[in-house]
Amino acid sequence: MSDKTPRGRAKRTLWSLAGLMVALAAILGVGVATGQAQLAPKLALDLEGGTQMVLAPEVTGGQDVSAEQLDQAVEIIRQRVDGSGVSEAEIATQSGRNVVVSLPGVPDQETRELIQASANMEFRPVITMGSFTATPEDQRTPVEEFPEPTAEPENGSDPNWITPELAAEFEAYDCPAVLGDPNREPLPTDEAAIVCDPNQGVKYIVGPVEVPGTDIADADYGLVNTATGVSTNQWAVNLTFNNAGTDAFREVTQRLTPFQEGDPRKQFAIVLDGMVVSAPQSQAVITDGRAQISGNFTEESAAALAEQLKYGALPISFTIESEQQISATLGADQLRLGLIAGLIGLALVAVYSFFQYRLLGLVTMASLVVAGVLTYLAIVLLGWSDNYRLSLAGIAGLIVAIGLTADSFIVYFERIKDELRNGRSLAEAVEYGWLRAKRTVVASKAVNLLAAVVLYFVAVGNVRGFAFTLGLTAVADLVVVFMFTHPVLQMLANTRFFGGGHKFSGLDPSLLGREPLYQGAGKIREFRPAPAASSGKAPKKSQKSSKEAAKRQTIAERRRAEQFAALGGSSAPDSAADSADGSTTSTDRTEEQK
């Protein structure tokens, strides 16, 4: 029979947390044993150093490279490097001629090839479309049940391009997994292929390349105007093709335009590096090489697509002009100082916790240790699975998180003390205090997490490392408060040392502003300090306790005390039944609550 008491629930929760930590440690141990992971976190370029490659552009036809083309090349390389899982890479132009790529560690051959490859934009006709994710395995159609092509394909939109093997592959094609694979194969240019459109959340089977991106002469964006020249306040992207592109695009639009609305074959997919950036429908035959792509564009999205179309098909590839190992830009000294700063912050939190909460501060420190272990395991495992690297900015996020994490425990402890002042036993105060404190803690961590997410997506460079660790520690804090701090206090509430209010426990009644002692059966005895001796001076111990109690009073208690003093002490602030000579009175809690 399961134990449904708070103590029993606390034990189960603590065992669950222990199981989680053991599971994470076991996964890491397997990685270390197989040589795929390491015990220490991976460090970023600023702390570990890495490889710096100077890339020289190679342009077809001996053309010069403009500054705009280099800037776009930097963006394309950055997207490729980020997509390959390399963290904290630095990519910039040099002297208006070259591109400098600095990567932590030593890049493998696939990363080198990815950086050197030229961008590849293509215009392909759409044949059919489907779900962005794979069809569940038990719902897929067997290959032999797909129809065979009836004839050789006549054009790029002909469904005869779809073989049974391609149709089966299309059902099993999972776009999220494929787009996250940096080693995916390039698309064949003279055959049908499967492409993904992350903007619309769909996938397509497209025909062979009909217009290469190199046939785009120019691309810009602007507001759509009617035939009379009146603006419609809708943004569109304008394309201009060269002579070869004009002829090819005219043939494509002549074939696509007659298809009915809703037929996928009315669309043509603009594919960049194997990913669809837009898939508009053909609404008219374009004979002059000037096309317009309209839709639900904002000014920003129209500008972004125009830039991709203008420079996405750059006839530029890169050769590695030089490659050298570079030392850490900050180095071991800054890492050491960062760790020292973290230890100082931890020591200050410890001093405050033990001063304010006596031995209850041990719960704070133990919770911080558990949060630190969880965060450490997460960072190391992310370094193994996603090549996450810890930068100095990330370490700063961890240091800031020490104070934010301790703040959650302080909120909880103060709620418990408020409940004790209201006359509850420690076991009750833990439960009632938790009901109130957890809402505050969750709201606080939600704000921290939201700030970290926003900062991560709007920032660049090392600031993203700071945002990432800040968000990670916010999640770890919630796990620790719910699965460690609260269960531990539930366990301690049943001990004689804490439950009895020992003077070193941090729950000494004399430090709470009143001295409630729970008697059971809903009864509370309230002790009042005896009046001063005839000399008019209270004992030193009483004076010290009174001062300490005054400091720890809630706002409501302080106001009642002020009102009591204003009345000249004619009535007791809490209960008219309190005795002036320090005698005890009993009050029924049920009646008090009513």
Side-chain angles (χ1 to χ4, degrees):
M1 185 175 179
S2 61
D3 186 358
K4 296 183 179 180
T5 63
R7 184 183 179 89
R9 292 195 301 269
K11 287 182 178 179
R12 290 193 296 273
T13 303
L14 289 172
W15 278 114
S16 298
L17 177 61
L20 173 63
M21 297 178 68
V22 169
L24 293 176
I27 294 172
L28 178 59
V30 171
V32 173
T34 57
Q36 303 177 53
Q38 58 186 34
L39 286 175
K42 289 184 176 180
L43 299 179
L45 190 66
D46 58 348
L47 297 176
E48 184 184 55
T51 304
Q52 184 182 78
M53 294 181 288
V54 178
L55 307 179
E58 290 185 343
V59 186
T60 58
Q63 302 174 2
D64 293 331
V65 181
S66 66
E68 291 81 5
Q69 288 176 320
L70 274 182
D71 290 339
Q72 182 63 17
V74 167
E75 290 302 317
I76 292 173
I77 293 173
R78 179 175 287 113
Q79 292 173 8
R80 290 174 174 178
V81 170
D82 290 344
S84 67
V86 177
S87 176
E88 303 285 351
E90 296 180 3
I91 305 165
T93 59
Q94 181 186 69
S95 304
R97 295 188 309 106
N98 300 326
V99 174
V100 179
V101 180
S102 300
L103 303 172
V106 180
D108 54 23
Q109 186 60 33
E110 290 79 7
T111 303
R112 286 187 171 86
E113 292 175 355
L114 193 67
I115 292 172
Q116 291 179 255
S118 59
N120 186 23
M121 179 169 282
E122 307 161 337
F123 287 73
R124 292 174 176 257
V126 174
I127 301 175
T128 188
M129 63 188 297
S131 172
F132 195 65
T133 56
T135 303
E137 193 168 352
D138 58 347
Q139 300 177 20
R140 296 175 191 171
T141 307
V143 178
E144 58 272 11
E145 294 185 14
F146 286 107
E148 292 283 347
T150 58
E152 289 294 321
E154 296 182 358
N155 53 58
S157 303
D158 196 331
N160 284 315
W161 283 107
I162 305 177
T163 63
E165 293 76 17
L166 182 61
E169 181 186 355
F170 185 66
E171 281 195 353
Y173 206 79
D174 187 46
C175 285
V178 173
L179 292 178
D181 181 11
N183 300 317
R184 61 181 183 270
E185 295 292 329
L187 302 179
T189 59
D190 55 352
E191 299 177 11
I194 302 173
V195 293
C196 301
D197 185 349
N199 298 318
Q200 299 300 322
V202 295
K203 60 188 175 188
Y204 303 104
I205 294 181
V206 293
V209 177
E210 300 214 35
V211 183
T214 51
D215 285 346
I216 299 176
D218 195 13
D220 60 15
Y221 67 100
L223 292 171
V224 178
N225 294 325
T226 63
T228 59
V230 179
S231 174
T232 62
N233 292 323
Q234 293 182 344
W235 292 94
V237 177
N238 304 308
L239 289 175
T240 303
F241 292 95
N242 59 20
N243 292 334
T246 298
D247 296 337
F249 200 69
R250 180 178 63 250
E251 294 179 8
V252 173
T253 54
Q254 284 175 340
R255 185 175 72 247
L256 302 187
T257 303
F259 286 116
Q260 297 294 322
E261 291 286 338
D263 191 332
R265 291 177 295 174
K266 196 176 180 66
Q267 296 175 260
F268 60 91
I270 305 173
V271 184
L272 175 62
D273 275 352
M275 184 176 65
V276 177
V277 296
S278 183
Q281 294 185 348
S282 177
Q283 303 291 349
V285 178
I286 307 298
T287 60
D288 60 355
R290 297 180 180 274
Q292 187 177 78
I293 303 174
S294 58
N296 297 322
F297 286 115
T298 62
E299 182 178 3
E300 291 78 13
S301 61
L305 179 57
E307 188 175 35
Q308 285 179 313
L309 293 172
K310 185 174 183 179
Y311 297 117
L314 291 175
I316 297 179
S317 60
F318 294 93
T319 59
I320 300 178
E321 190 174 76
S322 65
E323 179 177 338
Q324 60 181 346
Q325 297 300 309
I326 57 175
S327 59
T329 55
L330 294 177
D333 288 342
Q334 280 72 17
L335 176 60
R336 180 175 55 82
L337 292 174
L339 295 177
I340 291 174
L343 292 175
I344 292 174
L346 188 62
L348 291 175
V349 170
V351 169
Y352 173 81
S353 297
F354 287 116
F355 174 77
Q356 183 74 7
Y357 301 110
R358 307 304 190 266
L359 289 184
L360 193 62
L362 288 174
V363 179
T364 300
M365 302 313 299
S367 299
L368 285 174
V369 170
V370 173
V373 171
L374 282 175
T375 304
Y376 182 87
L377 288 172
I379 289 175
V380 175
L381 289 173
L382 286 171
W384 174 22
S385 62
D386 296 302
N387 202 25
Y388 172 75
R389 291 179 177 270
L390 188 63
S391 64
L392 190 62
I395 293 175
L398 296 177
I399 295 172
V400 171
I402 295 174
L404 297 178
T405 303
D407 182 59
S408 301
F409 313 142
I410 293 173
V411 169
Y412 185 19
F413 294 164
E414 291 301 323
R415 285 291 190 183
I416 291 175
K417 294 169 75 170
D418 284 343
E419 296 298 328
L420 290 173
R421 292 188 184 99
N422 289 335
R424 300 189 189 277
S425 67
L426 180 57
E428 289 179 324
V430 166
E431 299 302 324
Y432 281 94
W434 173 245
L435 290 176
R436 296 183 178 184
K438 69 179 180 180
R439 293 195 294 266
T440 305
V441 171
V442 170
S444 173
K445 295 305 139 184
V447 171
N448 289 348
L449 189 58
L450 178 62
V453 170
V454 172
L455 185 61
Y456 182 85
F457 283 105
V458 302
V460 294
N462 288 341
V463 179
R464 300 185 71 183
F466 173 83
F468 182 84
T469 53
L470 196 62
L472 181 64
T473 51
V475 175
D477 184 12
L478 285 176
V479 172
V480 170
V481 171
F482 276 79
M483 299 186 71
F484 182 80
T485 310
H486 176 52
V488 166
L489 282 174
Q490 286 179 306
M491 301 286 287
L492 294 179
N494 292 283
T495 63
R496 179 177 299 178
F497 182 81
F498 287 95
H502 192 278
K503 63 179 181 179
F504 292 125
S505 68
L507 300 171
D508 182 2
S510 66
L511 302 179
L512 299 178
R514 57 193 298 182
E515 299 188 21
L517 294 178
Y518 185 64
Q519 290 184 307
K523 302 294 184 178
I524 295 198
R525 288 192 307 165
E526 296 187 354
F527 286 85
R528 295 294 175 187
S534 58
S535 61
K537 295 183 180 180
K540 292 184 178 180
K541 183 176 181 181
S542 299
Q543 290 179 343
K544 183 177 181 181
S545 296
S546 299
K547 290 180 180 179
E548 185 67 22
K551 291 180 182 178
R552 297 172 181 268
Q553 282 181 329
T554 63
I555 295 176
E557 289 174 339
R558 190 176 295 113
R559 288 177 177 172
R560 287 199 301 268
E562 291 172 354
Q563 292 172 356
F564 174 67
L567 293 173
S570 59
S571 61
D574 290 323
S575 171
D578 285 343
S579 174
D581 60 357
S583 61
T584 64
T585 62
S586 295
T587 347
D588 191 328
R589 177 178 300 154
T590 306
E591 293 299 324
E592 200 174 68
Q593 289 177 347
K594 288 179 181 180

